[in-house]
Amino acid sequence: MRGQIIKIISDTHIVTSDQKTYTCKCRGIFRHKHIVPLVGDMVEFNQETLRIEEILPRHNEFIRPAVSNIDQGFLVTSLKNPDFSLSLLDKLLVLMELHKTKSIICITKEDLLTQEEKNRLKPFLDYYKNIGYKVVSNKDIDRIKKYLEQKTSVFTGQTGAGKSTLLNNLNPDWKLQTGEISKALGRGKHTTRVVELFTMGTGKVLDTPGFSALEFKDYKEDEIKDAFIEFKNYSCPFKDCSHTNEKECIIKKKVEEGKILRSRYESYLKLRERRF
């Protein structure tokens, strides 16, 4: 029988299948082969013995939190208090691209902006839309719910951007869980988190407050380059162009022309040089 691991506590694995929940253990051979199940794993299990027989191939895998098969990330981005951070947004977008995870930018606190501030930020948001990312407001609950259908999603972004409030608005049953998340964060205390997937409509949502591992040192420079999706729209004369010191680099030219955001290019250089 096929199912998905939604929660792991020690050696106990909670698996859902056909809207039913099963408490399973793994085969002993998993330990000998150093196979480590993750929340999000699709598995084959025996309904009678409640043994997980096989972990199916993963679409992706994150380190912290240790989860797999995330379809999309909602990057919750405050426009004010805290201020809009292009560098953090780029970092999260690249993280999702490296993990073959779709990104949806969700802006919050738009009502705190003056008209002048809105006018100043609009070109940046339009840029992300034009290169292929969806941008939604946290007020557009129906649209977000539609994006959640049949997907396994995570909400991440700035501290204080309003992730918990958004989740509460999406599903009032999350009030207790997001409250527990805030408490579990501890702010300086050593606490143990249990990562869990919760059903929201026809989709699932990871209950983590975000990703604590935003390290890029294990990725090759070309992988980081390819994670800036708009770069693929332009062909440099040199196939292996690094977009750094090459005189004929089309990417650098497009930055000067304003076709590529200078902040995006600066984010690329920082990530490439591991200075982020």
Side-chain angles (χ1 to χ4, degrees):
M1 193 169 184
R2 181 168 296 189
Q4 184 177 31
I5 298 176
I6 63 166
K7 188 176 183 179
I8 299 175
I9 303 175
S10 187
D11 63 344
T12 299
H13 301 72
I14 310 301
V15 177
T16 60
S17 179
D18 294 330
Q19 299 181 335
K20 293 182 180 179
T21 302
Y22 303 85
T23 301
C24 301
K25 303 284 186 180
C26 288
R27 293 176 61 197
I29 198 171
F30 281 25
R31 187 180 301 107
H32 297 303
K33 289 189 174 183
H34 305 289
I35 298 173
V36 181
L38 299 176
V39 169
D41 277 346
M42 301 302 299
V43 298
E44 292 286 350
F45 70 102
N46 188 308
Q47 189 177 0
E48 295 180 359
T49 64
L50 296 178
R51 290 283 174 184
I52 295 176
E53 303 288 341
E54 180 185 1
I55 295 176
L56 302 178
R58 293 165 178 159
H59 167 65
N60 55 29
E61 177 183 338
F62 290 86
I63 300 172
R64 287 194 301 273
V67 294
S68 68
N69 298 323
I70 300 298
D71 296 313
Q72 59 189 11
F74 285 82
L75 311 185
V76 185
T77 305
S78 171
L79 300 181
K80 193 169 186 177
N81 296 337
D83 291 337
F84 184 41
S85 173
L86 288 167
S87 60
L88 177 57
L89 178 57
D90 286 338
K91 200 172 183 182
L92 289 169
L93 287 169
V94 168
L95 180 74
M96 295 298 163
E97 293 292 338
L98 289 169
H99 287 83
K100 297 179 175 59
T101 303
K102 181 180 177 181
S103 292
I104 298 173
I105 300 169
C106 181
I107 59 173
T108 67
K109 305 187 181 182
E110 190 175 8
D111 54 316
L112 299 181
L113 297 178
T114 64
Q115 189 58 51
E116 182 181 351
E117 290 170 327
K118 289 180 181 178
N119 293 340
R120 190 174 70 247
L121 290 178
K122 187 177 185 299
F124 294 102
L125 296 175
D126 287 344
Y127 178 86
Y128 287 103
K129 291 178 186 177
N130 291 336
I131 63 174
Y133 292 113
K134 289 186 173 66
V135 179
V136 299
S137 166
N138 66 321
K139 305 295 184 185
D140 199 348
I141 298 299
D142 289 339
R143 187 178 175 193
I144 295 173
K145 284 183 177 179
K146 186 175 181 179
Y147 290 149
L148 289 171
E149 292 176 2
Q150 304 294 327
K151 302 289 185 183
T152 298
S153 307
V154 65
F155 287 74
T156 188
Q158 297 162 297
T159 300
K163 294 183 293 293
S164 295
T165 300
L166 175 57
L167 287 168
N168 284 337
N169 289 335
L170 287 167
N171 186 346
D173 292 340
W174 268 70
K175 284 189 180 297
L176 177 61
Q177 286 131 17
T178 53
E180 289 174 342
I181 285 171
S182 299
K183 185 177 180 181
L185 284 173
R187 296 291 178 257
K189 299 177 182 178
H190 296 287
T191 54
T192 301
R193 290 288 323 284
V194 175
V195 177
E196 185 172 358
L197 285 174
F198 285 91
T199 298
M200 187 173 286
T202 59
K204 289 187 175 71
V205 174
L206 193 68
D207 79 328
T208 175
F211 296 95
S212 58
L214 291 177
E215 297 293 334
F216 297 87
K217 62 180 182 295
D218 294 331
Y219 294 99
K220 297 177 182 177
E221 291 176 346
D222 281 349
E223 289 177 306
I224 292 175
K225 179 174 69 175
D226 291 342
F228 285 80
I229 58 175
E230 69 269 45
F231 290 4
K232 299 174 186 177
N233 296 329
Y234 308 99
S235 298
C236 285
F238 312 106
K239 188 177 180 180
D240 59 348
C241 185
S242 68
H243 310 323
T244 54
N245 300 316
E246 297 88 347
K247 290 183 180 180
E248 302 299 321
C249 175
I250 296 298
I251 298 302
K252 290 166 61 178
K253 182 179 178 181
K254 294 302 176 182
V255 173
E256 294 301 321
E257 292 176 353
K259 299 291 180 61
I260 293 176
L261 276 182
R262 185 170 296 276
S263 58
R264 284 282 284 176
Y265 181 65
E266 290 173 352
S267 291
Y268 164 67
L269 294 178
K270 288 179 182 178
L271 284 172
R272 180 184 172 85
E273 298 167 15
R274 311 309 196 265
R275 293 189 290 109
F276 224 129

